Amino acid sequence: MVRIIDYKQRHTENGRAFFVLELSGGIEMVKSTTTNQFYATSKKAFISSTFDEQTCKALIGTEMPGRVIKQECEAYEYVVKDTGELVTLTHRFVYKPEESISTKEDNAIKRLLADENTFSKNGHHKEEFAM
């Protein structure tokens, strides 16, 4: 599950304003490479919306099925806010919706039908039991 934790106003190239929702992917425990101690963190991602500001405010706290995942992308430069350090990153965090139950069922049926040995070829089914 992900939770909507905030929203931000952004602008298109032609200057039109729109809002993005900030999603948090839930708590994760990560081990520090410098102190060797664990700390709690969460992955965050932004998704575009068609909502007005009032709706975005009302959506804060809403949970949705899915997760925030790390996705490789073209290299880009990023300034670390706390230190001012300029770093080059090759990933970003994106929202991935949870696969719906109907999609899982559809995939299971496709796998079943794709296996040519699932059904008898001569009209008779020979039961085999593995023990």
Side-chain angles (χ1 to χ4, degrees):
M1 293 294 265
V2 298
R3 180 183 303 242
I4 299 171
I5 60 170
D6 202 1
Y7 69 94
K8 306 273 188 243
Q9 185 175 24
R10 303 267 170 88
H11 293 87
T12 63
E13 292 175 358
N14 65 5
R16 188 178 64 81
F18 68 99
F19 292 95
V20 295
L21 301 173
E22 184 177 359
L23 306 178
S24 175
I27 192 168
E28 295 181 27
M29 298 304 293
V30 179
K31 192 172 190 178
S32 169
T33 56
T34 55
T35 66
N36 229 18
Q37 298 295 313
F38 284 93
Y39 62 93
T41 188
S42 69
K43 294 177 184 163
K44 295 179 183 166
F46 290 91
I47 58 171
S48 299
S49 80
T50 59
F51 304 128
D52 60 14
E53 186 170 12
Q54 184 177 5
T55 304
C56 290
K57 275 184 189 177
L59 288 172
I60 293 175
T62 302
E63 289 188 345
M64 305 183 317
R67 55 196 173 112
V68 175
I69 62 167
K70 185 177 182 178
Q71 183 180 70
E72 296 300 316
C73 66
E74 287 187 36
Y76 64 97
E77 292 183 339
Y78 175 79
V79 177
V80 180
K81 292 178 187 175
D82 294 339
T83 64
E85 178 185 7
L86 181 65
V87 295
T88 301
L89 299 176
T90 59
H91 68 275
R92 61 188 180 139
F93 293 102
V94 297
Y95 169 67
K96 181 177 184 197
E98 189 175 277
E99 194 172 325
S100 69
I101 293 171
S102 62
T103 303
K104 289 179 184 177
E105 290 172 351
D106 291 344
N107 289 340
I109 291 168
K110 287 177 187 174
R111 284 192 304 274
L112 179 68
L113 295 176
D115 184 359
E116 64 185 51
N117 297 320
T118 301
F119 299 101
S120 168
K121 295 179 183 176
N122 63 4
H124 301 314
H125 177 68
K126 180 182 174 186
E127 288 189 29
E128 296 180 24
F129 296 100
M131 290 195 200

mmCIF file of all heavy atoms in Angstrom, residues 5 9 14 24 27 31 39 55 70 78 103 129:
data_model
loop_
_atom_site.group_PDB
_atom_site.id
_atom_site.type_symbol
_atom_site.label_atom_id
_atom_site.label_comp_id
_atom_site.label_asym_id
_atom_site.label_seq_id
_atom_site.Cartn_x
_atom_site.Cartn_y
_atom_site.Cartn_z
ATOM 1 N N ILE A 5 0.774 11.588 0.976
ATOM 2 C CA ILE A 5 1.249 12.339 2.141
ATOM 3 C C ILE A 5 1.306 13.847 1.907
ATOM 4 O O ILE A 5 1.412 14.611 2.871
ATOM 5 C CB ILE A 5 2.626 11.831 2.616
ATOM 6 C CG1 ILE A 5 3.680 11.963 1.521
ATOM 7 C CG2 ILE A 5 2.519 10.392 3.098
ATOM 8 C CD1 ILE A 5 5.103 11.717 2.000
ATOM 9 N N GLN A 9 2.269 22.016 -6.323
ATOM 10 C CA GLN A 9 1.846 22.637 -7.571
ATOM 11 C C GLN A 9 3.035 22.671 -8.522
ATOM 12 O O GLN A 9 4.151 23.016 -8.128
ATOM 13 C CB GLN A 9 1.331 24.064 -7.336
ATOM 14 C CG GLN A 9 0.783 24.688 -8.597
ATOM 15 C CD GLN A 9 0.169 26.061 -8.354
ATOM 16 O OE1 GLN A 9 0.513 26.741 -7.401
ATOM 17 N NE2 GLN A 9 -0.741 26.444 -9.220
ATOM 18 N N ASN A 14 4.021 25.333 -21.031
ATOM 19 C CA ASN A 14 3.324 26.543 -21.473
ATOM 20 C C ASN A 14 2.786 27.369 -20.299
ATOM 21 O O ASN A 14 2.049 28.328 -20.502
ATOM 22 C CB ASN A 14 2.207 26.200 -22.458
ATOM 23 C CG ASN A 14 1.095 25.375 -21.839
ATOM 24 O OD1 ASN A 14 1.092 25.117 -20.646
ATOM 25 N ND2 ASN A 14 0.144 24.969 -22.673
ATOM 26 N N SER A 24 3.995 7.948 -0.387
ATOM 27 C CA SER A 24 4.989 7.294 0.455
ATOM 28 C C SER A 24 4.733 5.797 0.404
ATOM 29 O O SER A 24 3.596 5.346 0.556
ATOM 30 C CB SER A 24 4.879 7.789 1.893
ATOM 31 O OG SER A 24 5.773 7.071 2.720
ATOM 32 N N ILE A 27 7.176 2.086 5.488
ATOM 33 C CA ILE A 27 8.444 2.051 6.202
ATOM 34 C C ILE A 27 9.333 0.905 5.713
ATOM 35 O O ILE A 27 8.862 -0.175 5.404
ATOM 36 C CB ILE A 27 8.209 1.943 7.721
ATOM 37 C CG1 ILE A 27 9.501 2.189 8.489
ATOM 38 C CG2 ILE A 27 7.585 0.602 8.085
ATOM 39 C CD1 ILE A 27 9.301 2.386 9.979
ATOM 40 N N LYS A 31 20.279 -0.410 6.388
ATOM 41 C CA LYS A 31 21.495 -0.412 7.197
ATOM 42 C C LYS A 31 22.458 0.642 6.662
ATOM 43 O O LYS A 31 22.785 0.661 5.477
ATOM 44 C CB LYS A 31 22.150 -1.785 7.155
ATOM 45 C CG LYS A 31 23.240 -1.979 8.173
ATOM 46 C CD LYS A 31 23.699 -3.427 8.176
ATOM 47 C CE LYS A 31 24.608 -3.707 9.328
ATOM 48 N NZ LYS A 31 25.020 -5.120 9.348
ATOM 49 N N TYR A 39 18.272 2.266 10.109
ATOM 50 C CA TYR A 39 17.408 3.430 10.251
ATOM 51 C C TYR A 39 16.156 3.209 9.420
ATOM 52 O O TYR A 39 16.154 2.438 8.466
ATOM 53 C CB TYR A 39 18.127 4.729 9.859
ATOM 54 C CG TYR A 39 18.587 4.805 8.420
ATOM 55 C CD1 TYR A 39 17.774 5.386 7.439
ATOM 56 C CD2 TYR A 39 19.827 4.307 8.039
ATOM 57 C CE1 TYR A 39 18.200 5.465 6.119
ATOM 58 C CE2 TYR A 39 20.253 4.388 6.722
ATOM 59 C CZ TYR A 39 19.429 4.964 5.770
ATOM 60 O OH TYR A 39 19.852 5.040 4.472
ATOM 61 N N THR A 55 -9.185 19.348 -3.581
ATOM 62 C CA THR A 55 -9.286 17.887 -3.657
ATOM 63 C C THR A 55 -7.980 17.244 -3.213
ATOM 64 O O THR A 55 -7.988 16.259 -2.470
ATOM 65 C CB THR A 55 -9.650 17.443 -5.084
ATOM 66 O OG1 THR A 55 -10.872 18.091 -5.476
ATOM 67 C CG2 THR A 55 -9.811 15.936 -5.172
ATOM 68 N N LYS A 70 12.021 1.442 -7.346
ATOM 69 C CA LYS A 70 13.183 2.113 -7.935
ATOM 70 C C LYS A 70 13.232 1.709 -9.406
ATOM 71 O O LYS A 70 13.195 0.528 -9.736
ATOM 72 C CB LYS A 70 14.441 1.654 -7.211
ATOM 73 C CG LYS A 70 15.697 2.345 -7.634
ATOM 74 C CD LYS A 70 16.851 1.845 -6.764
ATOM 75 C CE LYS A 70 18.143 2.519 -7.084
ATOM 76 N NZ LYS A 70 19.216 2.060 -6.198
ATOM 77 N N TYR A 78 21.530 15.952 -9.573
ATOM 78 C CA TYR A 78 20.639 16.272 -8.458
ATOM 79 C C TYR A 78 21.458 16.951 -7.362
ATOM 80 O O TYR A 78 22.578 16.522 -7.075
ATOM 81 C CB TYR A 78 19.995 14.981 -7.935
ATOM 82 C CG TYR A 78 19.153 15.163 -6.700
ATOM 83 C CD1 TYR A 78 17.867 15.677 -6.785
ATOM 84 C CD2 TYR A 78 19.640 14.823 -5.445
ATOM 85 C CE1 TYR A 78 17.080 15.836 -5.657
ATOM 86 C CE2 TYR A 78 18.864 14.984 -4.299
ATOM 87 C CZ TYR A 78 17.583 15.488 -4.417
ATOM 88 O OH TYR A 78 16.819 15.654 -3.300
ATOM 89 N N THR A 103 -6.649 -9.444 -13.268
ATOM 90 C CA THR A 103 -5.468 -9.583 -14.123
ATOM 91 C C THR A 103 -4.706 -10.843 -13.756
ATOM 92 O O THR A 103 -4.234 -11.569 -14.624
ATOM 93 C CB THR A 103 -4.571 -8.347 -13.996
ATOM 94 O OG1 THR A 103 -5.323 -7.186 -14.321
ATOM 95 C CG2 THR A 103 -3.374 -8.434 -14.914
ATOM 96 N N PHE A 129 -0.907 -39.845 -10.509
ATOM 97 C CA PHE A 129 -0.739 -39.341 -9.151
ATOM 98 C C PHE A 129 0.731 -39.419 -8.778
ATOM 99 O O PHE A 129 1.375 -40.427 -8.973
ATOM 100 C CB PHE A 129 -1.566 -40.170 -8.148
ATOM 101 C CG PHE A 129 -3.038 -40.076 -8.378
ATOM 102 C CD1 PHE A 129 -3.726 -41.071 -9.045
ATOM 103 C CD2 PHE A 129 -3.736 -38.963 -7.937
ATOM 104 C CE1 PHE A 129 -5.097 -40.973 -9.263
ATOM 105 C CE2 PHE A 129 -5.096 -38.860 -8.151
ATOM 106 C CZ PHE A 129 -5.781 -39.869 -8.825
#
